[in-house]
Amino acid sequence: MIRILKLYKIFIVQHLKKLMEYRVDFLTGAGSFFITQITNIVFISIIFNQIPSLNGYLYNEIIFIYGFSLLPKGFDHLFTDNLWIVGWYVVRKGDFDRYLTRPISPLFHTIVETIQFDALGEIAMGLILVIYSSIKLALHFTFINIVLLIIAIIFGALIFTAIKIACAALAFWIKQSGSILQIFYCTSDFARYPITIYNKVIRGIITYIIPFAFTAYYPANYILRNGKPLYCIGGVVLMSIILLSLSLIIWHKGINAYESAGS
Amino acid sequence: MIKVQNVSKEFKKVVKESGLKGSVKSLFSRKYDIVKAVNDISFTVAKGEILGFIGANGAGKSTTIKMLTGILTPTKGEIEINGQIPYKNRKKYVREIGVVFGQRTQLWWDLPLTETFTVLKEIYQVDDARFKKQMDFFNEVLELKDFVKSPVRTLSLGQRMRADLAASMLHSPKVLFLDEPTIGLDVVVKSNIREAITKINQEEQTTIILTTHDLKDIETLCKRIIMIDKGTLIYDGSLLDMKNKFGKFREINLSLQNNSDINMLRFKEDLNLNSDDFQIKSNKEKITVIFNSQKIGVSDMLSYILTHTNIADISVNDVNIEEIVRRMYK
Ligand SMILES: Nc1ncnc2c1ncn2[C@@H]1O[C@H](COP(=O)(O)OP(=O)(O)OP(=O)(O)O)[C@@H](O)[C@H]1O
Ligand SMILES: [Mg+2]
C-alpha cells in the first residue's frame, strides 16, 4: 500500500511539473468545463422559468441532482482518465506491451500514470451546486446522511470506473474501443436529471443495465424524498461491486487476448 | 532454465473488402485470415547462455520474444522459464526478467531518467545499496551521466536505448530479452551496448536472448544462434558450425545476353553437384547462383559459366549467411 502511494506521489509530482509547463492547457481545460456547466445551468433555469416544477421536482431539487451527479463522475475522471487512451490507441498501437512487463497489475499501472486535474473543475462545480441548492431547499443533513452520501459518491465513482474498464478492455479484441466507451459514458448524461421524466425503457436501462441512475438520482432521492437508504445507497454499493467484478473479468480475459502489434 | 515446446502463434487478420460497401459489410460479417507468425518452435536455453535469434523481416522473432516475456499468449504449445509459465503467473514471472524492445521504449515518456529509475526502484523493490551499485555500474558501462536529468522524450535514439537497457537490468533479472537492441545505432554506441551486454552476462550469469539483423552483434555476443524463417525454426546450433556449413557458400550474380542460356547451366549433370550444394534463382534480368565453394572452386564455377553462356555482366559477391541459409532451406 505504501508502495502504491509512493508511486502515485512520483507521478503526481511529475504531472504537476508538466502542468506548470503547460499552464495554459490546464486553465483552458478547467475553464471550458466551467463554461459548459454554466450553459447547462442557464438552460435549466430558462426551462424552469416556464414550468416551475418537473414531474414533481422543484428547480432547486433538480439543481441538487445535477450537482450531485458531477461528484462521482468527477472523482472517477480525476483518477482513471488513462483508460480512455487505452481504448483509443494504447492497445491498437501495441504500447500496452510495457504494462505487461512490470510486476504490478497492468490495470493499476495504467491508472496511476495520470491524474486528470481538469476534473477538479467538475468536482468544484458539483459541490457548489449541491451546497447552493441545499441552502435554498433548507435541507438538514444528519451525520449519517453525510456518511451515506460520501459512500454513494465513492461507489458511484466506481460505477463509472467499472464501465470505463469494461469498455476500454474491449479494445483487446477489437483494437479500438474509444467510441464505444464514449457512447456508454455519454449515457451518464441521462442520469443528471430526475429519471421519472423518462419512459420505462430508458429508466430501466439507466437503473439496471448501465446503472448511472445510482450515481445521482437515487442517492439524491435518499435526501430529497426520504428514499430508503437500503435501496438508494445500498443499490449504489451493490451495483458498483457487481459491475466492477464483471469488468475485471472482461479486463483479464482481454489481456489474454491481447495481440500487441507488429513493430 | 528456458523450455519452449511446440509453440505456435496465430494472428487473426480481418479481411477488409475495399470501398465503403466493403467496410459496411465487414462490420456485420467478419472474414478472418489466419497469419501463422510462429509455427511449432521448440528449443531450450541453459542458464548463463547468450542466444541470438536471426531471421528476415517478419520471420517471427519479435512474436517469439513477446511470447517468452508473457506479453502474448501462445496459440499452441508450452513455455516454461525459471519454472514459471510466462503468461499465467505474469506478475511473479516478470519480476525475474528484463525486456528491451529496440523499436519502442518501455519507459515513461515524460519522466526524467532519474525519476524513471526511482519509479522502477519502487516497482521492483530494489534496496538502496543494490540500487546504488547498479546505478554506478550503468554509469560506468553505459555512460548515462550526461542525460540522466532529461525527460525520456528528449533523448536521442542511442541515449534512449542505453536508458532502456539500464532500466531493464536495474533489478538484476535472471533472464534478459533484447529485441533488436542495436537497431539504428552508430558504431560506437553499438559497441558500447555489446560491451554492456557481455559484462552483465559475465558478472551476473544473466541468461540473454536477443534478436538482431546485425551479424556483428551475433559474432561478438552469441555462441549459439537460432534462425527463424516464416515462423519456422530452420537452424539451431553454434555460429561456428553454421559458418562451416554455410560460410563456404559463394554467390555469383550474372546477367545473360540471351536469357534462354540459363538452360545451359546443368550443374547436377556436368559438375556432379548435389542439390544441397547449389541453387539458381532468376528474375527477368538477373540470375543468382549460390554454390558451395568446397565442392567446386570459384574459378572453376566461373569458367564453367563463361564457357556455357554469353555473359553481359557478372560479379562474385560476399555471402550473407542469413540470406543463404534461408534460400537453401526453401
Ligand atoms: N499484432 C499482430 N497482429 C497481426 N499480425 C502480426 C502481429 N504481430 C506480428 N504479426 C505478423 O507476424 C509475422 C511475424 O512478425 P514479427 O514481428 O514477429 O517478425 P520479426 O521477425 O520480429 O520481424 P522484424 O525483423 O521485421 O522485426 C509478420 O508476418 C507480422 O505481419
Ligand atoms: Mg521484430
Side-chain angles (χ1 to χ4, degrees):
Chain A
M1 192 62 200
I2 291 171
R3 220 171 112 216
I4 292 176
L5 291 180
K6 265 191 187 164
L7 287 179
Y8 232 140
K9 200 191 95 194
I10 295 172
F11 280 114
I12 291 173
V13 168
Q14 211 47 49
H15 220 76
L16 283 174
K17 279 191 205 155
K18 210 167 85 187
L19 283 183
M20 295 304 169
E21 255 178 75
Y22 310 119
R23 207 168 347 178
V24 185
D25 197 42
F26 173 62
L27 291 179
T28 48
S32 75
F33 178 79
F34 264 101
I35 291 171
T36 324
Q37 296 309 319
I38 287 167
T39 334
N40 277 340
I41 300 295
V42 169
F43 184 70
I44 296 176
S45 315
I46 291 171
I47 293 177
F48 270 84
N49 273 338
Q50 317 297 321
I51 5 161
S53 83
L54 187 62
N55 274 25
Y57 283 86
L58 304 171
Y59 172 66
N60 281 314
E61 289 178 324
I62 302 226
I63 294 295
F64 184 90
I65 299 174
Y66 188 96
F68 191 87
S69 78
L70 294 176
L71 297 175
K73 193 174 185 176
F75 279 105
D76 164 72
H77 188 187
L78 182 64
F79 291 113
T80 71
D81 209 42
N82 226 17
L83 289 170
W84 283 98
I85 65 159
V86 172
W88 279 118
Y89 57 84
V90 171
V91 169
R92 181 169 56 92
K93 285 171 49 183
D95 288 334
F96 198 78
D97 288 6
R98 63 197 193 85
Y99 298 103
L100 294 173
T101 56
R102 304 277 182 224
I104 47 176
S105 135
L107 180 60
F108 168 71
H109 188 173
T110 318
I111 287 174
V112 287
E113 266 183 13
T114 29
I115 275 235
Q116 185 50 275
F117 288 108
D118 291 5
L120 293 177
E122 223 159 349
I123 293 168
M125 189 74 188
L127 281 177
I128 291 170
L129 294 180
V130 166
I131 291 169
Y132 165 86
S133 57
S134 301
I135 293 170
K136 285 280 177 179
L137 293 165
L139 295 176
H140 293 287
F141 292 101
T142 64
F143 178 69
I144 297 204
N145 287 157
I146 291 176
V147 170
L148 288 183
L149 284 184
I150 290 173
I151 289 177
I153 292 172
I154 295 171
F155 284 89
L158 288 177
I159 290 181
F160 277 94
T161 308
I163 286 171
K164 274 160 76 177
I165 290 173
C167 292
L170 293 181
F172 290 122
W173 290 278
I174 60 175
K175 307 293 174 237
Q176 198 177 65
S177 62
S179 36
I180 296 179
L181 176 46
Q182 188 112 45
I183 292 168
F184 274 81
Y185 198 72
C186 284
T187 56
S188 73
D189 288 350
F190 283 105
R192 295 195 213 177
Y193 308 98
I195 64 165
T196 47
I197 65 175
Y198 302 116
N199 67 24
K200 266 202 180 128
V201 178
I202 295 181
R203 236 188 291 170
I205 290 177
I206 61 176
T207 303
Y208 298 109
I209 298 176
I210 320 168
F212 283 124
F214 281 103
T215 65
Y217 172 74
Y218 289 109
N221 244 16
Y222 161 64
I223 297 297
L224 300 175
R225 291 283 177 277
N226 264 325
K228 287 198 192 83
L230 192 65
Y231 185 72
C232 293
I233 309 293
V236 189
V237 176
L238 185 69
M239 280 299 180
S240 74
I241 289 174
I242 293 174
L243 275 186
L244 205 55
S245 315
L246 285 178
S247 65
L248 289 179
I249 292 173
I250 297 175
W251 176 268
H252 285 291
K253 284 219 180 313
I255 283 182
N256 286 333
Y258 174 59
E259 288 205 320
S260 185
S263 44
Chain B
M1 143 150 264
I2 299 183
K3 255 191 274 173
V4 175
Q5 230 166 50
N6 306 102
V7 164
S8 300
K9 179 74 192 175
E10 290 169 357
F11 291 110
K12 273 189 200 148
K13 273 198 175 150
V14 181
V15 184
K16 283 230 172 79
E17 287 169 52
S18 57
L20 184 62
K21 209 173 149 198
S23 317
V24 173
K25 234 166 123 189
S26 73
L27 265 183
F28 298 102
S29 71
R30 296 203 150 194
K31 272 198 227 152
Y32 291 105
D33 249 358
I34 301 253
V35 181
K36 271 212 161 173
V38 171
N39 192 0
D40 200 22
I41 283 185
S42 306
F43 61 90
T44 58
V45 188
K47 184 171 166 57
E49 200 172 353
I50 304 186
L51 171 65
F53 269 90
I54 54 175
N57 289 132
K61 304 180 296 294
S62 299
T63 306
T64 308
I65 297 277
K66 283 175 189 167
M67 286 192 285
L68 294 175
T69 49
I71 293 170
L72 294 177
T73 311
T75 314
K76 277 195 216 105
E78 269 120 58
I79 301 176
E80 194 189 303
I81 299 175
N82 294 327
Q84 301 190 56
I85 298 169
Y87 51 96
K88 279 204 180 133
N89 338 39
R90 185 179 295 111
K91 262 200 312 201
K92 193 153 162 260
Y93 167 70
V94 294
R95 198 171 273 287
E96 301 184 337
I97 64 165
V99 188
V100 174
F101 288 106
Q103 310 265 18
R104 62 165 70 112
T105 181
Q106 298 267 99
L107 306 177
W108 295 273
W109 207 234
D110 290 313
L111 288 192
L113 214 46
T114 40
E115 299 283 345
T116 303
F117 286 115
T118 321
V119 174
L120 290 172
K121 178 177 181 294
E122 284 312 317
I123 290 182
Y124 288 100
Q125 294 170 298
V126 180
D127 63 53
D128 293 341
R130 177 91 220 160
F131 183 70
K132 189 165 176 313
K133 189 168 159 264
Q134 289 294 78
M135 291 312 288
D136 290 343
F137 175 67
F138 297 147
N139 274 326
E140 183 198 318
V141 295
L142 293 167
E143 291 162 28
L144 301 180
K145 275 220 179 67
D146 309 338
F147 50 88
V148 282
K149 295 257 154 54
S150 327
V152 171
R153 76 184 126 84
T154 66
L155 300 184
S156 78
L157 181 61
Q159 292 170 334
R160 203 219 80 208
M161 202 73 87
R162 284 183 275 166
D164 256 294
L165 199 59
S168 74
M169 301 190 298
L170 184 70
H171 54 293
S172 321
K174 288 186 187 153
V175 191
L176 201 52
F177 296 93
L178 310 171
D179 191 6
E180 307 201 34
T182 57
I183 189 172
L185 304 183
D186 70 38
V187 189
V188 180
V189 179
K190 265 187 186 173
S191 91
N192 266 348
I193 286 197
R194 285 180 200 135
E195 240 168 77
I197 295 174
T198 314
K199 270 207 178 129
I200 279 285
N201 172 254
Q202 284 167 352
E203 289 188 8
E204 315 214 6
Q205 280 294 297
T206 312
T207 310
I208 297 172
I209 294 192
L210 61 91
T211 78
T212 182
H213 288 289
D214 184 338
L215 285 182
K216 191 91 188 292
D217 288 348
I218 298 281
E219 272 165 14
T220 41
L221 294 171
C222 317
K223 288 205 188 68
R224 178 178 163 207
I225 49 176
I226 284 185
M227 183 156 186
I228 304 188
D229 184 45
K230 299 205 179 123
T232 321
L233 190 156
I234 58 172
Y235 182 84
D236 178 355
S238 78
L239 181 66
L240 208 68
D241 282 352
M242 179 144 168
K243 273 194 171 161
N244 286 338
K245 203 164 167 196
F246 300 107
K248 301 292 183 290
F249 277 77
R250 290 290 177 271
E251 185 177 298
I252 294 180
N253 288 304
L254 50 127
S255 42
L256 300 175
Q257 283 175 1
N258 185 350
N259 267 344
S260 63
D261 278 4
I262 193 170
N263 300 321
M264 307 297 289
L265 297 174
R266 289 181 304 200
F267 298 139
K268 241 186 202 159
E269 295 80 357
D270 298 349
L271 299 173
N272 266 329
L273 289 181
N274 291 326
S275 52
D276 320 353
D277 289 329
F278 75 94
Q279 200 198 24
I280 302 177
K281 262 187 78 163
S282 68
N283 57 22
K284 265 187 206 130
E285 288 121 44
K286 215 181 90 185
I287 293 168
T288 306
V289 176
I290 297 171
F291 62 97
N292 186 343
S293 65
Q294 275 182 326
K295 293 279 162 69
I296 175 167
V298 176
S299 56
D300 292 343
M301 182 53 112
L302 275 177
S303 61
Y304 175 81
I305 292 174
L306 287 171
T307 47
H308 287 78
T309 57
N310 282 322
I311 298 291
D313 189 17
I314 188 161
S315 63
V316 182
N317 289 351
D318 267 354
V319 276
N320 174 347
I321 295 187
E322 194 172 331
E323 175 76 352
I324 290 189
V325 176
R326 222 176 88 233
R327 286 197 188 162
M328 296 309 290
Y329 275 95
K330 254 182 198 162

